Amino acid sequence: AGSSYSRNMLLACLITNANGLDMLDHVSLTVVDLERAERFYDAIFAALDVPKVGSDHADAWIGYGERSDADHPERSYFSVRLGPAPDDAPRRHYCFKAPSRAAVQAFWRAGLAHGGLDLGAPGLRDYHAHYYAAFLFDPDGNHIEAVCHRADAD
């Protein structure tokens, strides 16, 4: 089990409903090489303190975060599935919350070290005064981001 931060705040850019729950319960993406993707996602999620909850290559999946249930509806889950290469959709991306700017930097370094391509080094962005993010393509071309919104997270 990971920290409560990683269990509760896996996915960023989520819309919260009137009950205080994140709109998205789980998200999946596809990759053409599951073993390569596993090395990459293990590394970036370790940098973000997100637990790996399973991997079954025979059933073609890897999972991170924790699934919601009746006692923990606040949880979020991310799965990587074997499938076709992602289609060309340059505006689509997956954004993960980071607990600190150091975690954003670790995410970016880990991604580059495990086959990712740089789409934007860690740094402040124009979205708000403390939006600190880094952007990568995973080895299959999925566009991913890590962001820290906290002013005190230097």
Side-chain angles (χ1 to χ4, degrees):
S3 70
S4 62
Y5 176 85
S6 61
R7 285 193 303 271
N8 297 334
M9 303 302 288
L10 169 63
L11 298 174
C13 306
L14 298 178
I15 298 169
T16 303
N17 69 18
N19 297 318
L21 296 176
D22 292 331
M23 183 180 77
L24 297 177
D25 182 77
H26 58 278
V27 174
S28 299
L29 60 73
T30 59
V31 298
V32 297
D33 184 333
L34 200 59
E35 289 180 11
R36 178 180 66 185
E38 187 166 24
R39 290 187 298 273
F40 178 84
Y41 283 99
D42 282 358
I44 66 153
F45 283 130
L48 297 175
D49 194 28
V50 175
K52 181 177 183 179
V53 296
S55 176
D56 184 343
H57 287 233
D59 200 26
W61 68 271
I62 311 162
Y64 302 90
E66 293 187 41
R67 287 212 179 265
S68 295
D69 60 26
D71 294 326
H72 301 284
E74 76 282 356
R75 292 177 176 170
S76 295
Y77 178 78
F78 183 82
S79 68
V80 178
R81 307 243 173 207
L82 187 63
D87 57 347
D88 185 26
R91 303 283 299 166
R92 178 186 58 221
H93 76 284
Y94 304 89
C95 181
F96 307 105
K97 287 188 178 179
S100 66
R101 291 179 179 186
V104 172
Q105 295 165 9
F107 156 91
W108 183 73
R109 286 190 306 270
L112 292 177
H114 290 85
L117 294 174
D118 180 18
L119 290 175
L124 290 169
R125 303 295 190 246
D126 294 334
Y127 304 113
H128 65 71
H130 304 290
Y131 195 106
Y132 188 88
F135 302 85
L136 295 165
F137 274 133
D138 77 2
D140 284 278
N142 292 295
H143 183 178
I144 62 171
E145 172 187 358
V147 63
C148 178
H149 294 282
R150 297 177 48 181
D152 63 348
D154 296 319

